Amino acid sequence: MRALRRFTVRAQLPEQLAPLHALATNLRWSWHPPTQDLFARLDPDAWERSGHDPVRLLGEISSARLAELAADAETVVTIRELADDLAAYLSEPRWYQGEREDDPSLPAAVGYFSMEFGVSEVLPNYSGGLGVLAGDHLKAASDLGVPLIGVGLLYRSGYFRQSLSLDGWQLEHYPVLDPQGLPLQLLTDRSGAPVLVEVSMPEGRTLKARVWQAAVGRVPLLLLDSDIEDNDPDLRGVTDRLYGGDQDHRIKQEILVGIGGVRAVRAFCAATGHPEPEVFHTNEGHAGFLSLERIRELSAAEGLSFDEAVTAVRAGTVFTTHTPVPAGIDRFPVDLVRHHFSDRLVPGVPMDRVLALGAEENPNTFNMAHMGLRLAQRANGVSKLHGAVSRGMFGGLWSGFDADEVPIGSVTNGVHGHTWEAREVTELLGDPTPGRSGAPATEPVSDATLWALRGALRSRLVDEVRRRVRAAWLERGASAPELGWTDHVFDPEVLTVGFARRVPTYKRLTLMLRDPDRLRDLLLDPHRPVQLIVAGKSHPADDGGKALIQQIVRFADDPAVRHRIVFLPDYDMSMARYLYWGCDVWLNNPLRPLEACGTSGMKSALNGGLNLSIRDGWWDELYDGANGWAIPTADGIDDPTRRDDLEANALYELLATQVAPAFYERDGGVPTRWVELVRHTLDTLRPQVQATRMVREYVQDWYVPAARAAAEIVTDDFAAAKELASYRARLNTAWPLVKVGGVDASGLPDTPVVGAPMTVRAAVDLAGLDPADVCVEVVVGRVDDSDELDDSVSAPMKHVGTSDGRDRFEAIVPLPHAGLTGYTVRVLPAHPLLATHGRVVGPG
Ligand SMILES: *Cc1c(COP(=O)(O)O)cnc(C)c1O
């Protein structure tokens, strides 16, 4: 008989074991090996059955076993010690508290909004890199003591589970999660009643959501859940799936996470006394509606005009963009936005102003990234290269600026070391100490020991591969007696290459199949074979991606190679871990520059894996010639087929002539050259790829300046917000009429040599603006035949007087280059409150 509905009954623990509850529900266990070991010891079989899920484990242990454990003094002591350790972790001052003591302008709290969070496989609320990054951000913030509040949605089915049909086609399953069986606690108000967040929907309806809290170490994560009886049946489904439905479904999700998310934060702070966020960070544009809610709040509570409220909200908002793929930008039809944004949803926020915030080239489209940039005074990409690509991609929002001056910076992503590093690595090398230069961590470790460590991790991976290959074939319909061969797939001594990631086109899952014979030769080489693990999910609506997976699966099904190449279905955090630990080489071959950062290669590097990658994302800035290999990219080649051919060819060449020889060349059983690469990777990359390095950068360069700007803007009854809004209004009227008149370089030296001073004078019609409202600059650089300035330097010009109704400006600049030189004069808006990283504007 099938159950109609299922639910979870939580275990009643004997008093001596009561602290297990806190240890199981705070997700800190997921990066704390001693706590994991405790759970495994309570009941090893139940621990396996539960899929290493402490909440499920506690439900599975029999009462008899619980009584036995309660009577065991050693177990009880260990539980108490670990509970004390957790309590100390949660309350002791950490890095942030030290910083804040020196500088009270550090924000009391930061709201971090994201559509997905990948904290642990026991809370499957993510689809890929974006979510796992958000999870790592929360964990690193917790380790550093940064007072973040995470905000997202709780999906009833999370992302789908992947399996394969017999002919290699991706099948999707959506297991239904019961929040009661997850490490979550319902948010209640001070009277103990569940908090219900409400947002208005079209046709006079209301969407309600309860709020679940997950504890990610010290960081609370609030997840909104619409699946409650108070909602109309269709609205109950708003949080059913991640990236599941159509645009209408999607905009409802984004309204809930953004507008409902701010309301959830307010309720959380009211109920718990937690300080209110001073800074709001939107991880990608999906939650961008949160700023509209904050504009509404300020208009209602402080009587600010829309423009004044925008100014105030911008000051405290940080926006991180994650995709350089134009098709990856979140967009809605304008009519759909119009349909949802009524005066009931965000009273007092005018519709035409909302629409203007999301305007883009296509007048029928509302662009969430554009709104994110217009409502955040600080914006960044996720690697240096991605920052540069974003400045080009969004440069149109800052007219008059060269791409390299567009105020979008970058913070290179990082990964949470304690989550992704095998415990043996941490035991051997200790904690990485980012930023501090000491002796290399591997210095006391011999080549033989490092090599043995890599061998142990590879061996564990091979066991996991065999287990998963067998399970996958059983699911595809094979019977156990035909699967004897799966006990012998892979070899713990063979060079192991991993390729696992989502399957959008730009990641080029099948590049390795460009020349199947060459791949086969590499796998079957009698002396220097390679074994290859491939994994990844395709978006359920993307048949193109599923066809790529099928190509790989068909190739790997061939009995001639199936012991050397596998496609493992259902890539998720629980599988990923084994791959990052055990693969010798981590392969990545995206179409440059479409990989914004990429983080899986960083996780491999934590464990001494060597990256073999196109120089894209993080690898473009951290590849140093001795920590892996760069696959040459044929960037300039427009014909995609030819480009794939060239890059695939380079990949085969590298594997055959560089990678495999270094791995198989032994000296007394140890591949000395290989170990040197591993050593260098562990010593230099391991500290740099830490999420704590990333979170510190966000704190120092983004959250603190945003908190200061936000604080400045509210003082004296929002005087600065009002001043800035009125400045913007003046600017908007005058700007189109501002003209640079006569430019005169009579001060050009007689014989111009590099460094000689040149005097430039300009007369500017400011159309009623004050000279202090603008910055007039001279820009000098090389010119080509088209007079396009390149390699230029700019210098501010001084206001030296007024004549004929025009303001006169002057500057003396040293000539920066030899050769053909040109110059121009430009006018930029300038206001002390607008400064971002030395630049002076926000997007129009
Ligand atoms: C790290 C991680 C990703 C992201 O990897 P990329 O290199 O950014 O593609 C995706 N899925 C899981 C399970 C991960 O752990």
Side-chain angles (χ1 to χ4, degrees):
M1 221 183 319
R2 272 177 77 94
L4 194 58
R5 214 179 116 73
R6 58 177 175 176
F7 61 100
T8 310
V9 182
R10 293 203 177 182
Q12 195 64 45
L13 295 170
E15 199 194 318
Q16 300 89 325
L17 306 183
L20 282 175
H21 182 72
L23 289 169
T25 47
N26 191 310
L27 288 158
R28 193 243 191 171
W29 69 262
S30 68
W31 69 92
H32 194 245
T35 310
Q36 295 162 14
D37 291 347
L38 166 70
F39 286 126
R41 272 207 317 276
L42 295 180
D43 184 338
D45 290 340
W47 179 240
E48 290 311 316
R49 276 201 310 281
S50 73
H52 298 188
D53 178 342
V55 171
R56 273 179 66 184
L57 168 79
L58 295 186
E60 297 240 339
I61 303 182
S62 67
S63 331
R65 176 67 184 155
L66 286 176
E68 200 180 343
L69 290 165
D72 179 53
E74 204 185 312
T75 302
V76 172
V77 168
T78 309
I79 290 173
R80 188 164 328 118
E81 281 171 359
L82 285 168
D84 288 348
D85 176 76
L86 175 63
Y89 173 84
L90 297 180
S91 59
E92 70 198 7
R94 302 183 80 85
W95 171 78
Y96 193 84
Q97 284 65 38
E99 297 287 299
R100 197 152 189 260
E101 206 151 275
D102 298 339
D103 178 0
S105 74
L106 266 67
V110 174
Y112 181 87
F113 285 60
S114 178
M115 203 66 175
E116 41 174 309
F117 284 94
V119 179
S120 156
E121 60 266 32
V122 304
L123 192 58
N125 220 39
Y126 66 95
S127 76
L130 182 72
V132 176
L133 175 82
D136 281 5
H137 194 104
L138 300 193
K139 292 179 212 173
S142 171
D143 289 345
L144 293 170
V146 181
L148 230 57
I149 303 173
V151 183
L153 301 180
L154 180 72
Y155 303 99
R156 189 43 39 111
S157 297
Y159 202 53
F160 71 92
R161 309 290 303 263
Q162 177 195 51
S163 66
L164 295 173
S165 72
L166 193 55
D167 64 348
W169 194 252
Q170 168 177 299
L171 304 176
E172 296 111 27
H173 317 266
Y174 292 88
V176 175
L177 301 172
D178 172 15
Q180 300 289 357
L182 300 175
L184 297 173
Q185 194 191 343
L186 203 55
L187 177 65
T188 53
D189 63 19
R190 287 187 185 267
S191 75
V195 166
L196 277 191
V197 164
E198 299 188 359
V199 289
S200 295
M201 286 282 121
E203 282 107 35
R205 299 202 296 164
T206 300
L207 169 64
K208 297 180 184 163
R210 54 185 171 177
V211 182
W212 296 97
Q213 303 175 71
V216 184
R218 301 163 70 113
V219 171
L221 169 58
L222 309 179
L223 298 170
L224 286 81
D225 171 12
S226 68
D227 189 14
I228 50 176
E229 286 180 1
D230 305 40
N231 277 328
D232 294 347
D234 62 319
L235 293 181
R236 286 184 74 155
V238 166
T239 55
D240 58 354
R241 287 173 188 186
L242 178 56
Y243 307 141
D246 56 10
Q247 291 276 63
D248 183 73
H249 185 253
R250 176 87 181 178
I251 199 170
K252 289 185 165 69
Q253 290 189 331
E254 296 194 6
I255 288 170
L256 184 61
V257 73
I259 295 171
V262 172
R263 295 176 186 172
V265 168
R266 302 302 181 211
F268 170 75
C269 293
T272 60
H274 196 288
E276 297 278 354
E278 291 165 34
V279 173
F280 287 77
H281 184 178
T282 62
N283 186 43
E284 195 45 277
H286 312 134
F289 293 132
L290 79 90
S291 296
L292 301 181
E293 168 65 0
R294 293 170 58 223
I295 291 168
R296 182 200 66 76
E297 289 179 334
L298 285 174
S299 311
E302 309 290 342
L304 298 191
S305 70
F306 179 83
D307 289 316
E308 291 162 356
V310 165
T311 306
V313 163
R314 285 187 79 240
T317 304
V318 176
F319 171 64
T320 302
T321 168
H322 283 268
T323 177
V325 185
I329 301 279
D330 205 17
R331 292 178 168 91
F332 292 112
V334 164
D335 287 343
L336 192 66
V337 179
R338 210 189 284 278
H339 182 59
H340 281 83
F341 275 83
S342 65
D343 199 46
R344 286 177 58 240
L345 179 58
V346 274
V349 179
M351 168 72 74
D352 58 326
R353 305 305 299 274
V354 171
L355 295 181
L357 290 168
E360 61 152 44
E361 314 77 62
N362 180 343
N364 300 318
T365 304
F366 186 92
N367 184 314
M368 292 297 285
H370 285 192
M371 180 175 72
L373 290 166
R374 290 189 175 109
L375 288 176
Q377 195 165 322
R378 288 169 177 78
N380 69 289
V382 291
S383 67
K384 290 200 170 89
L385 178 63
H386 179 232
V389 172
S390 301
R391 289 190 282 279
M393 183 165 161
F394 295 115
L397 290 178
W398 285 269
S399 57
F401 278 71
D402 285 344
D404 62 354
E405 297 173 317
V406 167
I408 298 178
S410 70
V411 178
T412 303
N413 284 340
V415 296
H416 187 243
H418 295 298
T419 296
W420 298 111
E421 187 167 289
R423 62 168 79 181
E424 293 86 344
V425 177
T426 321
E427 278 159 18
L428 192 64
L429 304 180
D431 277 341
T433 45
R436 233 175 290 156
S437 58
T442 68
E443 196 171 71
V445 183
S446 72
D447 280 7
T449 306
L450 267 187
W451 183 236
L453 169 69
R454 291 295 320 152
L457 296 174
R458 189 186 318 104
S459 245
R460 192 189 297 160
L461 170 62
V462 168
D463 290 343
E464 182 69 7
V465 166
R466 289 174 180 164
R467 191 182 73 73
R468 285 185 180 260
V469 167
R470 187 181 168 82
W473 272 104
L474 288 172
E475 225 178 336
R476 285 173 79 180
S479 64
E482 330 168 55
L483 293 178
W485 63 272
T486 59
D487 294 343
H488 310 287
V489 299
F490 274 42
D491 180 334
E493 302 298 326
V494 165
L495 169 60
T496 305
V497 179
F499 183 101
R501 46 188 52 87
R502 290 177 304 111
V503 188
T505 323
Y506 78 87
K507 298 217 186 211
R508 293 193 297 190
L509 175 73
T510 52
L511 190 73
M512 60 184 83
L513 283 186
R514 201 80 198 156
D515 184 344
D517 291 334
R518 249 178 117 180
L519 177 61
R520 213 169 278 122
D521 288 347
L522 285 166
L523 299 174
L524 301 178
D525 188 290
H527 306 294
R528 304 197 293 219
V530 173
Q531 57 195 8
L532 183 55
I533 305 172
V534 187
K537 293 176 178 176
S538 170
H539 188 283
D542 178 13
D543 280 350
K546 293 183 203 177
L548 298 181
I549 290 175
Q550 188 175 41
Q551 271 182 51
I552 297 275
V553 174
R554 289 193 168 154
F555 181 90
D557 279 354
D558 178 355
V561 294
R562 67 185 183 189
H563 59 302
R564 289 269 193 265
I565 177 170
V566 295
F567 179 89
L568 299 183
D570 205 27
Y571 180 53
D572 74 347
M573 292 176 79
S574 72
M575 176 202 299
R577 176 174 305 131
Y578 286 91
L579 304 190
Y580 304 144
W581 292 340
C583 285
D584 299 294
V585 171
W586 196 254
L587 173 62
N588 192 18
N589 47 235
L591 264 181
R592 189 175 189 274
L594 299 184
E595 180 86 290
C597 178
T599 50
S600 53
M602 295 178 165
K603 300 175 204 164
S604 173
L606 287 179
N607 294 286
L610 304 178
N611 279 268
L612 168 60
S613 172
I614 298 271
R615 286 191 77 152
D616 199 4
W618 75 283
W619 195 233
D620 188 59
E621 76 196 59
L622 290 180
Y623 168 66
D624 71 359
N627 52 10
W629 299 270
I631 306 169
T633 163
D635 258 9
I637 307 274
D638 290 332
D639 173 3
T641 312
R642 215 169 102 64
R643 181 167 173 181
D644 283 358
D645 280 341
L646 288 170
E647 295 183 7
N649 195 42
L651 166 61
Y652 299 132
E653 270 314 291
L654 273 170
L655 274 170
T657 64
Q658 309 274 325
V659 183
F663 184 89
Y664 286 106
E665 227 168 69
R666 303 292 159 93
D667 183 0
V670 175
T672 325
R673 259 206 302 153
W674 190 272
V675 171
E676 198 42 52
L677 293 162
V678 170
R679 196 181 275 287
H680 183 67
T681 295
L682 289 170
D683 286 336
T684 61
L685 274 185
R686 184 166 167 262
Q688 292 183 86
V689 300
Q690 298 288 330
T692 43
R693 188 268 308 143
M694 164 182 78
V695 170
R696 276 177 213 242
E697 269 181 50
Y698 273 113
V699 168
Q700 287 161 341
D701 301 340
W702 304 80
Y703 298 163
V704 171
R708 287 198 188 122
E712 199 170 318
I713 223 141
V714 301
T715 48
D716 294 335
D717 193 21
F718 291 87
K722 291 172 184 166
E723 151 65 20
L724 201 51
S726 96
Y727 167 72
R728 278 177 163 255
R730 257 187 298 142
L731 196 68
N732 286 344
T733 323
W735 198 248
L737 307 171
V738 170
K739 266 192 217 63
V740 178
V743 176
D744 151 30
S746 54
L748 200 62
D750 297 337
T751 36
V753 292
V754 174
M758 166 175 75
T759 306
V760 180
R761 300 188 185 87
V764 183
D765 181 351
L766 288 177
L769 291 174
D770 193 84
D773 288 340
V774 296
C775 171
V776 179
E777 289 185 345
V778 54
V779 186
V780 193
R782 299 180 201 284
V783 282
D784 54 18
D785 291 342
S786 63
D787 280 342
E788 204 48 51
L789 279 168
D790 192 24
D791 215 358
S792 58
V793 294
S794 60
M797 300 178 75
K798 241 172 85 178
H799 186 244
V800 293
T802 318
S803 60
D804 308 333
R806 295 202 287 191
D807 285 281
R808 311 227 157 244
F809 293 83
E810 192 175 301
I812 302 175
V813 278
L815 291 169
H817 312 292
L820 203 54
T821 298
Y823 66 92
T824 188
V825 169
R826 67 177 177 188
V827 186
L828 303 171
H831 192 286
L833 292 166
L834 277 178
T836 346
H837 300 278
R839 299 305 326 172
V840 281
V841 287

Short mmCIF file of all heavy atoms in Angstrom, two decimals, residues 126-129 132 420 500-502 507 571-573 576 580 586 588 595 598-601 603, ligand 1:
data_model
loop_
_atom_site.label_atom_id
_atom_site.label_comp_id
_atom_site.label_asym_id
_atom_site.label_seq_id
_atom_site.Cartn_x
_atom_site.Cartn_y
_atom_site.Cartn_z
N TYR A 126 19.38 23.72 -3.72
CA TYR A 126 20.31 24.36 -4.64
C TYR A 126 20.34 23.55 -5.93
O TYR A 126 19.97 22.38 -5.95
CB TYR A 126 21.72 24.40 -4.04
CG TYR A 126 22.32 23.01 -3.87
CD1 TYR A 126 23.15 22.47 -4.85
CD2 TYR A 126 21.98 22.22 -2.79
CE1 TYR A 126 23.66 21.19 -4.73
CE2 TYR A 126 22.49 20.92 -2.66
CZ TYR A 126 23.32 20.43 -3.63
OH TYR A 126 23.79 19.15 -3.51
N SER A 127 20.82 24.20 -7.02
CA SER A 127 20.97 23.45 -8.26
C SER A 127 22.42 23.33 -8.68
O SER A 127 22.80 22.40 -9.36
CB SER A 127 20.17 24.10 -9.39
OG SER A 127 20.84 25.24 -9.86
N GLY A 128 23.25 24.28 -8.29
CA GLY A 128 24.63 24.21 -8.76
C GLY A 128 25.49 25.26 -8.10
O GLY A 128 25.28 25.61 -6.93
N GLY A 129 26.45 25.76 -8.87
CA GLY A 129 27.50 26.63 -8.34
C GLY A 129 26.99 27.83 -7.56
O GLY A 129 27.53 28.15 -6.50
N VAL A 132 25.79 26.63 -4.10
CA VAL A 132 26.87 26.12 -3.27
C VAL A 132 27.76 27.30 -2.81
O VAL A 132 28.20 27.36 -1.67
CB VAL A 132 27.69 25.05 -4.01
CG1 VAL A 132 28.87 24.59 -3.17
CG2 VAL A 132 26.81 23.86 -4.35
N TRP A 420 35.06 21.31 2.05
CA TRP A 420 35.49 20.66 0.81
C TRP A 420 36.85 19.97 0.89
O TRP A 420 37.25 19.29 -0.04
CB TRP A 420 35.48 21.67 -0.34
CG TRP A 420 34.11 22.19 -0.59
CD1 TRP A 420 33.64 23.45 -0.35
CD2 TRP A 420 32.99 21.44 -1.10
NE1 TRP A 420 32.31 23.54 -0.69
CE2 TRP A 420 31.89 22.32 -1.14
CE3 TRP A 420 32.81 20.12 -1.51
CZ2 TRP A 420 30.62 21.92 -1.59
CZ3 TRP A 420 31.55 19.72 -1.96
CH2 TRP A 420 30.48 20.62 -1.99
N ALA A 500 33.00 17.49 -13.74
CA ALA A 500 31.64 17.46 -13.20
C ALA A 500 31.13 18.87 -13.03
O ALA A 500 31.79 19.69 -12.41
CB ALA A 500 31.63 16.73 -11.85
N ARG A 501 29.99 19.13 -13.59
CA ARG A 501 29.37 20.45 -13.50
C ARG A 501 28.03 20.41 -14.20
O ARG A 501 27.69 19.43 -14.85
CB ARG A 501 30.26 21.52 -14.13
CG ARG A 501 30.84 21.13 -15.49
CD ARG A 501 31.85 22.14 -15.97
NE ARG A 501 32.88 22.41 -14.98
CZ ARG A 501 34.01 21.72 -14.84
NH1 ARG A 501 34.25 20.69 -15.63
NH2 ARG A 501 34.87 22.03 -13.92
N ARG A 502 27.22 21.48 -14.03
CA ARG A 502 25.97 21.56 -14.79
C ARG A 502 26.31 21.51 -16.28
O ARG A 502 27.46 21.65 -16.67
CB ARG A 502 25.24 22.86 -14.47
CG ARG A 502 24.65 22.94 -13.07
CD ARG A 502 24.01 24.29 -12.84
NE ARG A 502 24.97 25.37 -13.07
CZ ARG A 502 24.91 26.24 -14.09
NH1 ARG A 502 23.91 26.20 -14.96
NH2 ARG A 502 25.82 27.19 -14.23
N LYS A 507 29.76 25.22 -21.18
CA LYS A 507 30.72 24.41 -20.42
C LYS A 507 31.29 23.25 -21.25
O LYS A 507 32.22 22.58 -20.85
CB LYS A 507 30.07 23.88 -19.14
CG LYS A 507 29.62 25.01 -18.19
CD LYS A 507 29.81 24.66 -16.73
CE LYS A 507 29.23 25.72 -15.81
NZ LYS A 507 29.95 25.84 -14.54
N TYR A 571 24.79 14.15 -9.89
CA TYR A 571 25.85 14.98 -9.31
C TYR A 571 25.24 15.89 -8.24
O TYR A 571 24.32 16.65 -8.51
CB TYR A 571 26.47 15.83 -10.42
CG TYR A 571 27.58 16.76 -9.99
CD1 TYR A 571 28.66 16.28 -9.28
CD2 TYR A 571 27.56 18.11 -10.33
CE1 TYR A 571 29.70 17.14 -8.92
CE2 TYR A 571 28.59 18.97 -9.97
CZ TYR A 571 29.65 18.47 -9.26
OH TYR A 571 30.68 19.32 -8.90
N ASP A 572 25.72 15.79 -7.04
CA ASP A 572 25.30 16.71 -5.98
C ASP A 572 26.44 16.82 -4.97
O ASP A 572 27.54 16.29 -5.21
CB ASP A 572 24.01 16.25 -5.30
CG ASP A 572 24.23 15.05 -4.39
OD1 ASP A 572 25.30 14.42 -4.45
OD2 ASP A 572 23.33 14.75 -3.59
N MET A 573 26.22 17.51 -3.88
CA MET A 573 27.31 17.75 -2.94
C MET A 573 27.88 16.45 -2.38
O MET A 573 29.07 16.33 -2.13
CB MET A 573 26.85 18.65 -1.78
CG MET A 573 26.55 20.07 -2.22
SD MET A 573 25.88 21.10 -0.89
CE MET A 573 27.37 21.50 0.01
N ALA A 576 30.07 15.10 -5.11
CA ALA A 576 31.13 16.04 -5.49
C ALA A 576 32.33 15.91 -4.56
O ALA A 576 33.49 15.92 -5.00
CB ALA A 576 30.58 17.46 -5.45
N TYR A 580 36.28 15.78 -5.61
CA TYR A 580 37.27 16.82 -5.28
C TYR A 580 38.42 16.23 -4.47
O TYR A 580 39.56 16.65 -4.59
CB TYR A 580 36.62 17.97 -4.50
CG TYR A 580 35.44 18.61 -5.19
CD1 TYR A 580 34.35 19.07 -4.46
CD2 TYR A 580 35.40 18.76 -6.57
CE1 TYR A 580 33.26 19.66 -5.09
CE2 TYR A 580 34.32 19.34 -7.20
CZ TYR A 580 33.24 19.79 -6.46
OH TYR A 580 32.16 20.36 -7.07
N TRP A 586 41.63 18.05 -12.38
CA TRP A 586 40.29 18.59 -12.53
C TRP A 586 40.22 19.33 -13.84
O TRP A 586 40.96 20.29 -14.07
CB TRP A 586 39.95 19.53 -11.35
CG TRP A 586 38.48 19.78 -11.28
CD1 TRP A 586 37.82 20.92 -11.62
CD2 TRP A 586 37.48 18.83 -10.88
NE1 TRP A 586 36.47 20.74 -11.46
CE2 TRP A 586 36.23 19.48 -11.00
CE3 TRP A 586 37.51 17.51 -10.43
CZ2 TRP A 586 35.02 18.85 -10.69
CZ3 TRP A 586 36.31 16.88 -10.12
CH2 TRP A 586 35.09 17.54 -10.25
N ASN A 588 38.44 21.47 -16.88
CA ASN A 588 37.41 22.47 -17.15
C ASN A 588 37.69 23.09 -18.50
O ASN A 588 38.77 23.62 -18.72
CB ASN A 588 37.42 23.54 -16.05
CG ASN A 588 36.19 24.43 -16.11
OD1 ASN A 588 35.18 24.06 -16.72
ND2 ASN A 588 36.26 25.59 -15.47
N GLU A 595 32.71 31.50 -18.34
CA GLU A 595 32.68 30.96 -16.98
C GLU A 595 33.01 32.12 -16.03
O GLU A 595 34.14 32.60 -16.01
CB GLU A 595 33.76 29.87 -16.85
CG GLU A 595 33.83 29.24 -15.48
CD GLU A 595 32.86 28.08 -15.31
OE1 GLU A 595 31.65 28.33 -15.24
OE2 GLU A 595 33.33 26.93 -15.24
N GLY A 598 33.74 29.83 -11.59
CA GLY A 598 33.98 28.39 -11.49
C GLY A 598 34.57 28.16 -10.11
O GLY A 598 35.48 28.87 -9.68
N THR A 599 34.04 27.21 -9.38
CA THR A 599 34.58 26.96 -8.05
C THR A 599 34.98 25.51 -7.84
O THR A 599 35.72 25.21 -6.89
CB THR A 599 33.55 27.32 -6.95
OG1 THR A 599 32.31 26.70 -7.29
CG2 THR A 599 33.37 28.81 -6.83
N SER A 600 34.54 24.60 -8.72
CA SER A 600 34.86 23.20 -8.47
C SER A 600 36.37 22.97 -8.53
O SER A 600 36.93 22.21 -7.74
CB SER A 600 34.12 22.28 -9.45
OG SER A 600 34.36 22.67 -10.77
N GLY A 601 37.05 23.66 -9.44
CA GLY A 601 38.50 23.51 -9.53
C GLY A 601 39.21 23.97 -8.26
O GLY A 601 40.27 23.45 -7.90
N LYS A 603 37.96 23.61 -5.29
CA LYS A 603 37.76 22.56 -4.28
C LYS A 603 38.74 21.41 -4.52
O LYS A 603 39.23 20.79 -3.58
CB LYS A 603 36.31 22.06 -4.33
CG LYS A 603 35.29 23.16 -4.06
CD LYS A 603 33.88 22.63 -4.25
CE LYS A 603 32.90 23.74 -4.57
NZ LYS A 603 31.63 23.22 -5.11
C1 LIG B 1 31.19 23.49 -6.47
C2 LIG B 1 29.99 22.87 -7.02
C3 LIG B 1 29.43 23.32 -8.22
C4 LIG B 1 30.02 24.47 -9.00
O1 LIG B 1 31.10 24.09 -9.78
P1 LIG B 1 31.57 24.97 -11.02
O2 LIG B 1 32.99 24.67 -11.19
O3 LIG B 1 31.36 26.40 -10.63
O4 LIG B 1 30.76 24.58 -12.18
C5 LIG B 1 28.30 22.70 -8.71
N1 LIG B 1 27.74 21.66 -8.06
C6 LIG B 1 28.25 21.20 -6.90
C7 LIG B 1 27.59 20.04 -6.23
C8 LIG B 1 29.38 21.77 -6.34
O5 LIG B 1 29.87 21.31 -5.20
#
